[in-house]
Amino acid sequence: SLILTVGASITSMPPAAPAVVGICALTGMFLLWRDISSKLKGDQRTWGSLLGQYAAVKAVGLLGRRQRRKLDLDTVKVKEAQEETLLKRLRKNADTCYGRQYNFSSIKDSEAFRALHPITTYEHYRELIQRIAAGEQKVIIAERPLILAMTSGTSGPSAMLLSTKATNAEFFLQGVAVCLDVMREAFPETDSLQRTAKLFYTPTFRQSEAGIPIGPNSSTPASSRHMLNLYTTPAPAFEVPSEKDTLYLHLLFALKDPTVGTLESNFASTVFYAFAALQERWQELVEDVHSGTISSSLSLEPKVRTSLEALMKADPQRAAQLQSHFQGGFSGIAKRLWPHLHLVLAVDSGSNQIYGEMLRDHYCKGVPFYSPFYAATEGLIGVNLWPQESKRRYLLCPRSMFCEFLPESSLEEETPRTLLMEQVKQGESYELVITNASGLYRYRMGDVVKVVGFYNQCPMVEFQYRRGQMLSLRGEKVSEALFLGALKKAVAQWPGAQLVDYSCAESGILGDSMGGSDPHYQVFVELKGVRNLTEEQRHKLDVCLQQDSAVYRSFRIKGSIGPMRVQLVADGAFRELRKRMMEHSLTSPNTFKMQRVLRRKEFVDFLLGKTVS
């Protein structure tokens, strides 16, 4: 009926009207073609994929600008935005078992909520989540969870949390859309129709008794056909179960496209390991580009191999270019392989800081980095509105979670008192306590952040450390940030050495194998450019930490803590350790974070077995 109505309208137009409509349509098509052409690099794209990418980029761009305006308004009235967010959560879940137990329906403001509800840790939820996994409805939240999301287990055993439509929607609207708007403003070159090489590994899931998927909180790009137009990797490759084979395919299809504009992954560590694999397998990859085939060393299902090989065609010219670039060495290789590469989009703060630094100093010289989010399995925490600043700071999102703050000085108290967003002070550090959209209430996350300023009334924070990733033999409390600072100072004094990776352990974990020595730190480092460390060089690390931590120094002087033992491990030891750690948990390569303080003896024993000096 709509077509008939439009047709009738056109036939009843004055004689000149159809011509005007036709001219307008042609003008619109010409402007669209010109806009697409201006954003295009290279000529290996179909119009269908270009239009799909153009539409997706425009839609997310409009959404991003709108969400950014909303965020700006919320930062002016932080207290009001936080109260509304909290009450919305409580009202939604008031008719659950948990909501009735804590009388959510009677709570009118955050003060009443904090008076009625205790501060919680994961143990508070363990049994409740098991009931949900078994199929019980309306236990903590009103809706059925999409998945039972496993945490990465950085600072202890993996925990199983709930992931809902609401948490996913918030992450996209308040996180992804806002950060893409920030990215295009800071890096205008990214507003193009170049494809992105996205490093993503399809997670494996198991089912709970009630059939709810259990696994990491990440969805494959292949689940959205519209988004696939943005990426170099075709859909079938995202479904390959082997991380090693998937990475090979990511690299292969990215190398085929000389116009790649962005390298993207959740974490800088994933990008770093991708370049390490590229350095090992470049000859095999070049041969595949040359012949238009996919290496027989990949264990692919016949159907997947057939569909991927249909997308390959022999390209001797590109293969010759690639071979020349690789033979020229790997320093600055990213910009030589992809001359139009504008950005590496990956989190490079916290435990990923050293990978970001190594990429900037070696493989990705001259390419800007943007660390967009501060997020966890619990949900979106903050966004980075200042991508060009080297210090990564994140604006807390007032409508993603209701946030409370435990002052660092009160973390060990039995009933510590929390502060709200409008009460925190610049320069002070706090542990985050969050109430999210998926059933966590006044939950101690274990993340300690430092308030480094305010955007309007909203705090900006820098991640400091995870409470479980603290070295503390005698109560000295050496954080990850503090230890890494001392380690970098020491490495700078070891001629020719470059830090690749590191982990520590408290000597007590070694048990009887420690002998009768004083408690000490066991430090494992993987280095480039050095095959041996002298005793003097090892001692430098102890000296640097004493310089940076007065408390550690006082225990060393008293003899309560013995000198740290520094072990140089073989090349690739941490890559193998990463694989073992993932086997021990349900985390995926997309969400894995290296543990900087090892709490499992088998991991310490593994690195001891890899020690070369």
Side-chain angles (χ1 to χ4, degrees):
S1 60
L2 178 62
I3 294 169
L4 290 172
T5 305
V6 172
S9 301
I10 290 173
T11 53
S12 61
M13 283 181 185
V20 172
V21 170
I23 290 168
C24 288
L26 286 170
T27 303
M29 289 172 66
F30 170 74
L31 292 172
L32 176 65
W33 174 82
R34 191 174 71 173
D35 195 24
I36 290 175
S37 299
S38 71
K39 297 175 187 294
L40 188 59
K41 297 270 193 309
D43 56 1
Q44 299 178 342
R45 302 285 300 278
T46 65
W47 269 99
S49 78
L50 284 170
L51 283 169
Q53 183 175 355
Y54 183 82
V57 166
K58 284 292 181 188
V60 174
L62 289 168
L63 189 61
R65 284 189 285 278
R66 193 183 77 179
Q67 289 298 131
R68 180 87 179 271
R69 284 193 296 270
K70 281 186 175 181
L71 176 61
D72 279 343
L73 287 172
D74 284 337
T75 62
V76 178
K77 47 175 187 174
V78 160
K79 186 173 182 179
E80 185 182 325
Q82 280 278 277
E83 291 278 327
E84 287 174 5
T85 301
L86 173 64
L87 294 177
K88 178 182 169 187
R89 306 266 187 271
L90 300 181
R91 280 195 292 268
K92 184 176 181 181
N93 298 316
D95 195 31
T96 61
C97 297
Y98 194 87
R100 288 191 294 273
Q101 180 185 345
Y102 286 99
N103 204 7
F104 282 179
S105 60
S106 72
I107 296 173
K108 305 300 180 203
D109 55 35
S110 61
E111 193 174 336
F113 173 61
R114 291 155 79 203
L116 275 171
H117 196 289
I119 291 174
T120 62
T121 62
Y122 184 67
E123 285 309 310
H124 180 82
Y125 301 94
R126 187 183 297 278
E127 188 189 334
L128 297 167
I129 291 172
Q130 289 297 341
R131 285 163 56 188
I132 293 169
E136 192 174 336
Q137 302 285 317
K138 294 193 172 184
V139 179
I140 319 175
I141 54 172
E143 61 195 294
R144 179 185 166 96
L146 293 176
I147 65 168
L148 298 168
M150 301 302 297
T151 64
S152 60
T154 312
S155 54
S158 288
M160 190 159 66
L161 303 176
L162 308 179
S163 179
T164 64
K165 283 183 182 177
T167 44
N168 287 1
E170 278 170 4
F171 191 90
F172 182 77
L173 291 172
Q174 298 183 46
V176 174
V178 169
C179 287
L180 286 175
D181 185 59
V182 171
M183 183 180 85
R184 291 199 168 82
E185 197 175 278
F187 309 104
E189 307 88 355
T190 60
D191 186 19
S192 70
L193 293 179
Q194 294 166 258
R195 277 186 163 151
T196 292
K198 185 177 177 75
L199 302 170
F200 182 91
Y201 304 95
T202 299
T204 53
F205 291 92
R206 58 188 173 90
Q207 302 287 313
S208 77
E209 305 96 297
I212 305 169
I214 302 173
N217 193 13
S218 52
S219 59
T220 170
S223 62
S224 172
R225 287 178 57 205
H226 301 298
M227 299 305 285
L228 275 172
N229 289 314
L230 306 176
Y231 305 127
T232 53
T233 305
F238 282 114
E239 302 302 334
V240 172
S242 158
E243 179 192 348
K244 188 177 178 183
D245 290 349
T246 304
L247 175 54
Y248 186 93
L249 293 168
H250 283 322
L251 292 171
L252 177 61
F253 283 94
L255 290 172
K256 276 166 48 67
D257 186 350
T259 69
V260 167
T262 303
L263 295 179
E264 180 188 344
S265 188
N266 284 8
F267 297 121
S269 57
T270 313
V271 182
F272 175 77
Y273 285 122
F275 275 102
L278 179 61
Q279 192 162 355
E280 284 180 7
R281 302 187 73 176
W282 69 265
Q283 288 166 308
E284 195 179 354
L285 286 156
V286 167
E287 177 55 39
D288 278 354
V289 173
H290 183 276
S291 58
T293 56
I294 291 174
S295 172
S296 59
S297 68
L298 273 62
S299 301
L300 303 177
E301 290 181 11
K303 186 179 173 185
V304 172
R305 181 177 284 277
T306 301
S307 61
L308 289 172
E309 286 188 335
L311 300 169
M312 297 288 293
K313 67 175 183 179
D315 193 347
Q317 186 179 352
R318 177 62 177 160
Q321 286 175 354
L322 293 170
Q323 178 146 346
S324 173
H325 293 320
F326 289 132
Q327 288 172 340
F330 277 78
S331 180
I333 188 70
K335 198 71 175 164
R336 299 206 309 280
L337 294 173
W338 301 292
H340 305 291
L341 183 65
H342 304 305
L343 191 66
V344 176
L345 183 63
V347 171
D348 63 358
S349 53
S351 59
N352 276 272
Q353 182 184 335
I354 62 169
Y355 306 111
E357 288 171 358
M358 286 189 292
L359 287 166
R360 280 188 288 272
D361 291 344
H362 187 51
Y363 296 121
C364 298
K365 272 184 180 175
V367 184
F369 277 62
Y370 177 29
S371 183
F373 315 119
Y374 172 23
T377 308
E378 292 85 350
L380 176 70
I381 303 163
V383 290
N384 179 3
L385 302 185
W386 306 274
Q388 288 159 316
E389 292 187 12
S390 56
K391 276 272 191 183
R392 303 309 191 202
R393 53 191 175 130
Y394 301 92
L395 179 71
L396 296 178
C397 298
R399 290 194 187 272
S400 179
M401 297 181 178
F402 175 71
C403 291
E404 299 173 64
F405 303 81
L406 283 174
E408 196 175 26
S409 58
S410 68
L411 297 185
E412 305 304 325
E413 292 177 13
E414 275 193 36
T415 53
R417 181 161 176 75
T418 60
L419 301 174
L420 301 180
M421 270 197 194
E422 68 275 12
Q423 297 171 323
V424 295
K425 292 181 180 175
Q426 186 169 340
E428 297 293 317
S429 293
Y430 306 89
E431 182 184 349
L432 285 173
V433 177
I434 58 106
T435 297
N436 71 359
S438 50
L440 297 175
Y441 304 95
R442 305 199 75 203
Y443 177 73
R444 290 183 73 158
M445 278 192 65
D447 282 13
V448 175
V449 298
K450 183 179 182 180
V451 175
V452 293
F454 292 86
Y455 180 78
N456 295 324
Q457 298 171 10
C458 194
M460 302 179 293
V461 301
E462 280 177 9
F463 175 84
Q464 297 296 292
Y465 59 89
R466 292 276 299 160
R467 284 191 69 207
Q469 288 282 281
M470 183 99 75
L471 289 162
S472 194
L473 291 163
R474 302 287 193 191
E476 69 278 14
K477 296 179 184 172
V478 173
S479 70
E480 180 183 327
L482 183 61
F483 187 87
L484 178 58
L487 179 58
K488 284 159 71 176
K489 274 189 203 171
V491 172
Q493 297 175 61
W494 299 343
Q498 278 184 296
L499 180 64
V500 174
D501 225 325
Y502 80 97
S503 269
C504 312
E506 295 166 356
S507 57
I509 201 172
L510 297 169
D512 294 337
S513 62
M514 187 183 82
S517 62
D518 292 324
H520 60 273
Y521 299 160
Q522 198 84 24
V523 182
F524 301 95
V525 292
E526 185 177 329
L527 302 170
K528 267 187 187 173
V530 169
R531 292 190 176 185
N532 188 31
L533 289 175
T534 65
E535 285 306 313
E536 187 185 350
Q537 286 174 323
R538 293 170 208 267
H539 182 59
K540 276 273 197 300
L541 177 53
D542 201 281
V543 170
C544 288
L545 186 56
Q546 288 187 50
Q547 288 170 349
D548 290 354
S549 171
V551 181
Y552 177 73
R553 183 167 182 269
S554 71
F555 283 120
R556 286 285 291 112
I557 290 168
K558 284 188 276 186
S560 308
I561 295 178
M564 66 175 74
R565 297 183 183 177
V566 182
Q567 319 270 34
L568 179 62
V569 298
D571 291 350
F574 276 88
R575 214 183 318 174
E576 287 184 55
L577 177 64
R578 172 178 174 268
K579 190 176 177 183
R580 283 172 176 251
M581 286 177 167
M582 284 194 289
E583 285 169 358
H584 275 83
S585 69
L586 274 173
T587 190
S588 79
N590 307 304
T591 56
F592 176 82
K593 295 173 193 165
M594 178 55 68
Q595 296 170 24
R596 299 305 177 196
V597 179
L598 302 175
R599 303 292 183 195
R600 294 179 75 124
K601 187 174 184 294
E602 60 260 47
F603 296 153
V604 178
D605 288 340
F606 172 78
L607 289 177
L608 283 170
K610 292 289 179 179
T611 297
V612 294
S613 166

